[in-house]
């Protein structure tokens, strides 16, 4: 029998690699979807692992072929939303399943929720009445946003998905990126997600070059983690919600990699590796508005941190 007052949670076992520490954290805290993703990406789960990830993801799918049910933890409730569906496409892309009839049906959903200019809002009014993060406003007639549209269009182009919805959505992304004179980190990341896979490579490279100059001019990337006070946090972001070179250049092949020197990139990756906490997981940097959402987000952030480190050639164990 356990002693009175003993901790109900098992202690973190001694571990010598970031990966083994993260594995303990994932089994202790993660949703089934993130558990399946961790196995697929890091525990030799390729053989049958993609099926397990897709099965777990299907629990979030709705009859309209969109995704809901807090797949993106900052939006609670059952209703389909573009941000949930973008998350689902990222998961499918990461396991090599972003194509075929499944994605054709997703494109029909995207068509049905598009604005008049053919692009995506971040959140539709159906979210009203369900809990959601206070920094994601719900309005009756939401505008098109590069933040929501860019990553989706980029993923579909990268996987050579061709659907009528893509034509106008692609035009919207080009126009939105070309008109950026001032931006914020998440919008820039959405632009990079589009540019990294846009079919017109010369135009994408030219746009990325201009965007990189904007990022440096407006200090949207914290280039020295030891001097964070020199880099302002964007308006509306949480205190300390800085973005680093690895947030923009998630892989060495990203167009955003050219924005940073080798030294700047190395410093940011050192910082990312050192951010692993004693429990084995990585922290979230945005505002935690409810205990459950923070708990659900940390395994997601942990998986992405490990994938980023590995993509850049860092040893994770």
């Amino acid at each position: 029998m356990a002693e009175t007052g003993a901790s109900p949670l098992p202690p973190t076992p001694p571990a010598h690699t970031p990966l083994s520490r993260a594995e303990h954290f994932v089994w202790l805290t993660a949703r089934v979807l993130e558990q399946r993703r961790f196995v697929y990406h890091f525990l030799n789960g390729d053989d049958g692992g993609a099926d397990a990830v897709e099965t777990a993801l299907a629990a979030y799918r709705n009859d309209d072929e969109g995704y809901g049910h807090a797949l993106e933890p900052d939006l609670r409730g059952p209703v389909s939303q573009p941000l949930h569906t973008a998350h689902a496409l990222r998961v499918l892309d990461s396991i090599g399943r972003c194509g075929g009839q499944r994605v054709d049906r997703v494109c029909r959903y995207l068509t049905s929720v598009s604005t008049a200019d053919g692009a995506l809002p971040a959140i539709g009014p159906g979210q009203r009445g369900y809990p959601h993060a206070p920094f994601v406003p719900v309005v009756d007639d939401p505008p098109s946003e590069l933040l929501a549209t860019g990553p989706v269009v980029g993923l579909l182009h990268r996987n050579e998905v061709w659907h009528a919805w893509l034509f106008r959505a692609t035009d919207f992304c080009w126009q939105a990126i070309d008109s950026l004179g001032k931006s914020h980190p998440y919008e820039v990341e959405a632009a990079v997600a589009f540019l990294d896979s846009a079919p017109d490579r010369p135009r994408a490279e030219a746009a990325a070059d201009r965007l990189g100059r904007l990022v440096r001019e407006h200090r949207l990337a914290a280039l020295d983690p030891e001097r964070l006070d020199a880099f302002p946090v964007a308006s509306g972001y949480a205190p300390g919600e800085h973005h680093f070179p690895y947030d923009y250049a998630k892989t060495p092949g990203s167009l955003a990699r050219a924005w940073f020197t080798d030294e700047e990139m190395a410093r940011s990756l050192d910082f990312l590796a050192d951010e692993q906490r004693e429990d084995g997981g990585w922290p979230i940097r945005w505002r935690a508005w409810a205990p459950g959402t923070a708990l659900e987000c940390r395994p997601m952030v942990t998986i992405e941190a490990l994938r980023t480190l590995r993509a850049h050639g860092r040893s994770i164990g």
Side-chain angles (χ1 to χ4, degrees):
M1 180 179 295
E3 295 180 7
T4 302
S7 171
L9 297 177
T12 303
H16 302 290
T17 69
L19 185 61
S20 57
R21 293 167 59 203
E23 181 183 358
H24 178 85
F25 174 76
V26 165
W27 291 128
L28 183 63
T29 66
R31 306 182 296 189
V32 172
L33 175 60
E34 282 69 50
Q35 291 176 11
R36 296 296 198 184
R37 292 193 69 209
F38 190 91
V39 170
Y40 175 86
H41 289 297
F42 306 113
L43 301 181
N44 299 316
D46 291 15
D47 184 13
D51 290 340
V53 173
E54 195 164 7
T55 297
L57 181 63
Y60 298 88
R61 192 172 68 240
N62 285 319
D63 290 343
D64 61 5
E65 300 299 341
Y67 288 78
H69 305 280
L71 176 58
E72 188 67 41
D74 283 331
L75 302 178
R76 316 305 291 184
V79 294
S80 297
Q81 290 291 350
L83 287 183
H84 292 310
T85 304
H87 188 127
L89 288 173
R90 286 195 299 273
V91 171
L92 292 171
D93 174 67
S94 73
I95 61 173
R97 297 287 179 88
C98 191
Q101 293 184 356
R102 157 62 50 233
V103 174
D104 285 342
R105 291 193 289 268
V106 170
C107 286
R108 289 201 291 272
Y109 163 76
L110 297 174
T111 303
S112 72
V113 297
S114 291
T115 58
D117 54 10
L120 295 173
I123 306 173
Q127 187 66 35
R128 186 174 284 110
Y130 296 103
H132 60 277
F135 46 83
V136 230
V138 178
V139 297
D140 289 332
D141 189 20
S144 299
E145 292 195 24
L146 179 62
L147 186 70
T149 313
V152 170
V153 175
L155 279 176
L156 295 178
H157 280 309
R158 183 163 75 193
N159 288 275
E160 299 182 347
V161 173
W162 294 106
H163 188 276
W165 176 77
L166 269 173
F167 293 99
R168 295 183 68 203
T170 298
D171 288 342
F172 168 84
C173 291
W174 282 125
Q175 293 167 10
I177 291 170
D178 289 344
S179 66
L180 284 179
K182 187 176 181 181
S183 189
H184 59 93
Y186 288 121
E187 186 174 52
V188 173
E189 290 174 24
V192 171
F194 169 76
L195 294 173
D196 276 347
S197 300
D200 188 339
R201 300 314 298 153
R203 184 177 181 182
E205 291 166 6
D209 182 66
R210 187 183 71 84
L211 198 57
R213 292 197 299 272
L214 183 151
V215 165
R216 297 189 73 95
E217 179 183 350
H218 294 280
R219 292 181 294 162
L220 299 183
L223 302 179
D224 187 350
E226 294 184 0
R227 297 180 55 250
L228 291 180
D229 57 342
F231 301 94
V233 173
S235 176
Y237 284 33
E241 193 177 352
H242 293 92
H243 288 239
F244 299 86
Y246 63 76
D247 287 308
Y248 301 104
K250 298 182 188 301
T251 68
S254 171
L255 291 173
R257 177 62 185 86
W259 301 351
F260 309 107
T261 67
D262 290 348
E263 182 182 3
E264 289 166 348
M265 198 73 212
R267 279 201 301 258
S268 80
L269 292 168
D270 289 342
F271 178 80
L272 178 61
D274 291 342
E275 280 283 273
Q276 189 174 23
R277 298 300 190 241
E278 288 186 8
D279 61 9
W282 268 259
I284 61 171
R285 292 201 302 271
W286 62 89
R287 187 174 289 106
W289 60 280
T293 59
L295 184 66
E296 290 177 350
C297 286
R298 283 194 66 206
M300 295 160 49
V301 170
T302 296
I303 290 170
E304 294 312 312
L306 290 169
R307 293 184 70 207
T308 297
L309 289 168
R310 186 171 65 182
H312 284 278
R314 295 299 183 97
S315 174
I316 59 175

